[in-house]
Amino acid sequence: MDRTGTVQLWSAEAEALLGHPARDVCGTSAVELLTAPGDRRAVLAAQEQTGTGQSWKGVLALRHRDGHDVRVALRVRPLTDGEGWAGWSVSAGDARRIEREDIDRAMLRALFEQYPAPIALMDDALRYRLLNGAAEQVLARPGAELIGRHVDAGTSHLPSEAIDRALRQVRETGEPVLSLPVRGSPASGPDGDRMWSLSTFRLTDPTDRPLGLCQTYVDITDRHRAEQRVELLTKAAADIGATLDVARTAQELADVLVPALGDLAWVALSEAVLEGDEPPKMSGPGRWRLHRIGVAPPGDAWPTGLPATGAVPPALPDHALLRRIGQGETVLLPDRDSVNAAADEHPGLAPLFVPEHGHSAIAAPLFARGLVLGTVVVWRTRRPAPFGQEDADLLAEIASRAALGVDNARRYTREHRAVVALQQRLLPAATTDTPAAETAGIYVPAGGGAEIGGDWYDVIALPSFRVALVAGDVTGHGLPATATMGRLRTAVDTLADLELDPDELLTHLDDLVQQLQDEAPHQGDTVGASCLYAVYDPVTRQCTLASAGHPPPVVIRPDGTVGSVGISPGPLLGVGGMPFQATTFDLEPGSVIAVYTKGVIYRDDHDPDTGLRRLTDHLARLARSGRSLDGAGHEILRSLGDAPARDDTTLLLARTRAIDPANIATWEFPADASVVGAARKAAAGQLTAWGLDEMSFTTELVVSELVTNAVRYAGGPIGLRLIRENVLVCEVSDPSNTQPRLRRARWSDEGGRGLFLIAQLTTRWGSRYTRSGKTIWAEQPLTTDPRLLDLPL
């Protein structure tokens, strides 16, 4: 165009764009090509303003030859000749690209000037080229100091290694790095550390040629802290209170809080809580008697001079902060001034509660079911940021959850202690010493959070120097199992007094368990048990036993051989309808028989065969060592491992003895009235041989009455046996199954006073059934020590 706006030259590209040939356009005004009146006025106005030869550009609509509009981006440049300005050169381009470039420029300007997000541009050499004000605040440096400098530790408080690594990765791969979390610690600011989400992009031109890099920073501190709080709450819920152990629960609480919330923490519990009791119900702290149970960090990392685990602080004074804690309130000491103010009231206690460099603290009560069980205290000593109210609220929530765990552990401790006490009081003496055997029993309750079971053992002294060894295991756990165990043990003691054979005793015991099962639906319990009942006779040196689903005993013989007894165990008690089979075997004096419950052989491997071999090996080794039974039993249980057993462990060891044949005298008589005198004479002669002449009158009377009754009511043959040990036992056996009974004779009766006289003259008497009849026995205390007979005259 010339200076008047008339088209002077029309290129082939212009003809292709608008369809007008050059002959139709040249010589006409360029404004005629515009279609919109508004565009015409804008061009004419621009033409007047650019009369000085200045450039102009814009997006306008031109008229195509066929009538439709063509939007183009026009750029008008001044032309000069040798004398000065001569006209314009007009070029048309892609309007969409120009519009996009304008939009990009406007957006970039808005991002840098108006958008609050921090943005930094770097060149391909990783040097800062452009930063907005928000980026300068993030980097805590003015842009003038950063432009042209390489990204390194000297340019910001952000981790330069992570930023440099992200920039190089994006520069080399072209793939953006999005939402990279980085932590910064600006020199100033009340909140201390800040978290930023860093995103890095590569900048390219339209030909995809790299121009530089762009980084944006998003402050995610609040979100990060919220995530940390949720994570800490989740960890506290998972890690605290799963063991039902008060001390361990306190330590778990301390471990969760450090270093997640503070630099050090301790948990102090009331002395009563540690015993399983409720803490005192009072508002003042003077009677709390708090024991510091859990500390973190533990061991050598705990500050020297600050009371550690197990420490018992002195009686706490009536302090305002302590009163607030006692009322269930969480106390926040946000800064050193508040810490100093609290410590100044009682400076003597400050070293016990304020660590070195401690500048901020939170104390929360362990408050559960209306009781203050203790306190948890968290300090910050190294990290500069103080605690805030959000931290106090977080600790209060964690403490409330932990308090339930502590209280559950406390209640479990109380119930566990009560059940253990009941269980132990229901068991017999740990050791016994009888003419038949020396015994030692050991009971270890279940540990590791498991409830007490219903295991028991018993040693029952039977007439004629025999002894019964019993072991049982009630199904279930807790007080119901312990109560059932007590009932079954009482039943066994009662049935043992009837001197029943082991298989017959278990049959009666099975009937009792079935009766208990009929009561169980009303009590919500399941009743069942295993039981082993063994009777050892030191006269015959034989042991007879029967089992109701119980593992067999292990026998260590004097020659060192060890093995379990081959038995045919019957069903568990309560099954019913199945017989029990008795097994009889010889036991040499000095043999050790081990009766146990399944907790001894069922350990972590859950393999009873392996457990039985382990028990057998330990018994063999300890038998050769000559250890006492009690020491050997404890050593065996220690050898099973340190892990708490999930079931009760009961072990009964018995070392057998035998009655010297010289202390046993036996006779047999026919069922004839004339043998009564012979029996008296034989008994008196034996007592004279034993040096027990002073017992002849009573013994002859007992023998006379018992033999007379046998002759009169039972028939023969009639057996008479005297056994001398720590007492004198007189036994009369006959083939009758009629049970004698004691009755009171009337004054006019000529008989019926025999058993009454025996009951008055002896310590105790009774009868037992045998496979061929019955045996009536009576005991008398020795008036002469039989060991005196062995002294030389």
Side-chain angles (χ1 to χ4, degrees):
M1 296 189 303
D2 59 15
R3 294 176 64 179
T4 62
T6 301
V7 178
Q8 300 296 328
L9 181 64
W10 188 259
S11 66
E13 289 80 3
E15 182 177 352
L17 178 65
L18 298 177
H20 299 283
R23 62 178 179 272
D24 294 342
V25 178
C26 290
T28 64
S29 174
V31 177
E32 296 298 328
L33 295 174
L34 300 175
T35 60
D39 290 348
R40 291 185 179 184
R41 290 192 297 269
V43 170
L44 292 174
Q47 184 177 352
E48 294 178 359
Q49 295 176 2
T50 58
T52 59
Q54 296 179 356
S55 298
W56 177 88
K57 63 181 180 179
V59 177
L60 301 175
L62 301 180
R63 184 176 67 253
H64 195 273
R65 183 178 182 182
D66 60 10
H68 73 273
D69 291 346
V70 178
R71 287 186 60 80
V72 296
L74 294 181
R75 183 180 294 274
V76 182
R77 299 183 180 88
L79 296 177
T80 60
D81 54 13
E83 300 178 357
W85 173 59
W88 292 276
S89 170
V90 181
S91 60
D94 187 352
R96 289 173 299 176
R97 182 177 63 82
I98 299 299
E99 289 176 335
R100 186 169 59 249
E101 291 177 354
D102 293 340
I103 293 174
D104 290 345
R105 292 188 184 94
M107 182 180 297
L108 184 60
R109 185 180 303 110
L111 285 174
F112 271 84
E113 296 179 359
Q114 302 178 30
Y115 191 64
I119 302 175
L121 298 183
M122 295 84 166
D123 59 18
D124 204 42
L126 308 186
R127 295 187 297 258
Y128 288 107
R129 288 303 179 188
L130 187 62
L131 299 93
N132 64 356
E136 294 179 357
Q137 293 180 2
V138 170
L139 301 177
R141 300 284 294 276
E145 296 182 8
L146 297 177
I147 299 301
R149 295 187 59 179
H150 189 277
V151 177
D152 55 29
T155 57
S156 76
H157 60 85
L158 297 177
S160 58
E161 297 83 359
I163 296 177
D164 184 76
R165 187 165 51 250
L167 289 170
R168 294 181 182 277
Q169 177 181 341
V170 173
R171 184 183 63 181
E172 295 169 2
T173 66
E175 297 294 329
V177 174
L178 304 177
S179 303
L180 175 67
V182 296
R183 184 188 300 274
S185 301
S188 61
D191 296 333
D193 292 350
R194 308 291 296 178
M195 287 297 299
W196 303 92
S197 176
L198 177 65
S199 297
T200 307
F201 311 89
R202 188 167 69 175
L203 304 177
T204 60
D205 64 7
T207 64
D208 204 29
R209 181 174 62 89
L211 298 177
L213 300 165
C214 175
Q215 278 190 337
T216 63
Y217 310 87
V218 178
D219 190 345
I220 59 171
T221 304
D222 293 340
R223 187 182 73 187
H224 177 71
R225 291 175 179 173
E227 292 175 351
Q228 283 187 317
R229 287 193 291 270
V230 172
E231 182 180 350
L232 186 56
L233 286 173
T234 303
K235 181 176 178 59
D239 295 352
I240 300 175
T243 61
L244 291 178
D245 181 88
V246 173
R248 187 169 178 180
T249 301
Q251 185 60 50
E252 289 168 350
L253 173 57
D255 292 339
V256 164
L257 297 175
V258 176
L261 186 61
D263 298 318
L264 64 88
W266 68 74
V267 179
L269 299 178
S270 172
E271 187 176 47
V273 172
L274 298 175
E275 298 296 328
D277 299 326
E278 291 186 353
K281 297 182 177 66
M282 76 293 177
S283 58
R287 294 168 51 204
W288 279 356
R289 298 293 298 167
L290 296 178
H291 291 242
R292 196 166 290 184
I293 301 302
V295 299
D300 296 337
W302 183 254
T304 304
L306 197 65
T309 303
V312 183
L316 300 177
D318 188 12
H319 195 287
L321 295 182
L322 298 177
R323 287 198 302 271
R324 291 169 58 189
I325 294 175
Q327 295 169 0
E329 182 180 347
T330 299
V331 175
L332 170 63
L333 301 178
D335 49 38
R336 191 175 298 276
D337 291 339
S338 58
V339 171
N340 293 337
D344 289 342
E345 294 188 30
H346 296 278
L349 296 178
L352 304 178
F353 295 94
V354 181
E356 186 178 6
H357 307 303
H359 62 85
S360 184
I362 313 174
L366 296 175
F367 194 75
R369 299 182 178 92
L371 301 172
V372 177
L373 309 177
T375 61
V376 53
V377 181
V378 187
W379 281 91
R380 283 186 177 173
T381 57
R382 293 187 303 272
R383 65 185 77 181
F387 286 119
Q389 188 57 47
E390 289 184 350
D391 299 316
D393 295 340
L394 176 61
L395 180 61
E397 186 170 355
I398 294 175
S400 66
R401 298 185 182 186
L404 292 177
V406 172
D407 192 55
N408 289 336
R410 175 193 67 81
R411 297 171 68 186
Y412 171 79
T413 300
R414 180 185 61 190
E415 295 179 6
H416 188 273
R417 184 180 59 186
V419 174
V420 169
L422 176 60
Q423 183 92 332
Q424 291 176 340
R425 281 164 175 74
L426 290 174
L427 294 176
T431 59
T432 64
D433 194 353
T434 66
E438 169 197 2
T439 68
I442 304 169
Y443 167 75
V444 179
E451 290 187 281
I452 299 301
D455 291 16
W456 89 93
Y457 69 88
D458 208 347
V459 179
I460 305 173
L462 300 177
S464 302
F465 305 107
R466 296 171 304 143
V467 65
L469 307 176
V470 189
D473 184 0
V474 176
T475 58
H477 296 84
L479 279 173
T482 302
T484 301
M485 179 273 285
R487 299 176 72 175
L488 293 184
R489 178 172 179 259
T490 302
V492 172
D493 287 347
T494 302
L495 293 172
D497 195 50
L498 298 177
E499 301 188 68
L500 303 174
D501 288 339
D503 53 342
E504 187 177 356
L505 182 143
L506 290 183
T507 300
H508 286 285
L509 195 61
D510 182 61
D511 294 338
L512 172 62
V513 174
Q514 292 183 59
Q515 295 177 18
L516 297 178
Q517 289 176 343
D518 294 337
E519 303 173 3
H522 306 288
Q523 300 175 353
D525 301 325
T526 300
V527 179
S530 67
C531 184
L532 179 78
Y533 185 80
V535 176
Y536 171 69
D537 189 340
V539 176
T540 63
R541 305 180 182 185
Q542 287 185 330
C543 181
T544 302
L545 61 83
S547 169
H550 204 83
V554 176
V555 174
I556 311 171
R557 300 191 180 274
D559 59 3
T561 58
V562 183
S564 60
V565 179
I567 62 175
S568 298
L572 292 172
L573 298 175
V575 174
M578 299 290 290
F580 299 98
Q581 182 175 341
T583 300
T584 301
F585 58 96
D586 294 330
L587 267 183
E588 301 89 342
S591 298
V592 176
I593 181 170
V595 181
Y596 53 90
T597 57
K598 65 178 183 294
V600 175
I601 59 175
Y602 283 84
R603 306 300 290 183
D604 294 336
D605 49 20
H606 303 290
D607 184 0
D609 294 333
T610 302
L612 183 58
R613 286 194 299 270
R614 182 167 52 233
L615 173 63
T616 302
D617 294 342
H618 289 312
L619 285 172
R621 185 175 66 255
L622 292 172
R624 292 191 294 269
S625 67
R627 298 281 297 275
S628 66
L629 290 183
D630 186 61
H634 284 90
E635 179 64 27
I636 289 174
L637 295 187
R638 282 194 298 269
S639 66
L640 297 179
D642 297 330
R646 302 300 298 176
D647 198 1
D648 291 359
T649 302
T650 303
L651 178 63
L652 175 62
L653 300 178
R655 181 177 286 117
T656 60
R657 295 166 174 164
I659 304 295
D660 188 347
N663 292 338
I664 305 171
T666 305
W667 300 272
E668 187 174 290
F669 303 100
D672 188 278
S674 62
V675 303
V676 176
R680 287 200 307 267
K681 183 177 180 180
Q686 186 61 55
L687 292 179
T688 299
W690 285 341
L692 301 176
D693 290 321
E694 66 275 13
M695 301 181 65
S696 295
F697 175 78
T698 302
T699 304
E700 287 184 47
L701 180 59
V702 170
V703 169
S704 178
E705 292 295 335
L706 294 180
V707 172
T708 299
N709 287 342
V711 171
R712 182 177 301 173
Y713 302 111
I718 299 171
L720 172 63
R721 184 169 69 174
L722 296 179
I723 308 173
R724 181 193 66 165
E725 191 59 35
N726 56 349
V727 294
L728 178 66
V729 177
C730 177
E731 296 180 343
V732 174
S733 303
D734 61 57
S736 174
N737 289 325
T738 302
Q739 180 73 19
R741 60 186 181 89
L742 182 66
R743 65 185 181 90
R744 183 176 295 277
R746 292 172 295 183
W747 67 271
S748 59
D749 291 341
E750 296 182 359
R753 296 177 177 85
L755 291 180
F756 178 78
L757 291 175
I758 293 174
Q760 299 300 313
L761 296 175
T762 61
T763 304
R764 60 175 185 160
W765 73 278
S767 66
R768 63 177 177 271
Y769 290 109
T770 63
R771 298 189 181 278
S772 59
K774 69 175 181 296
T775 297
I776 303 177
W777 54 269
E779 287 184 4
Q780 302 176 66
L782 294 180
T783 56
T784 301
D785 191 342
R787 290 176 295 182
L788 297 177
L789 300 178
D790 298 330
L791 296 176
L793 298 177

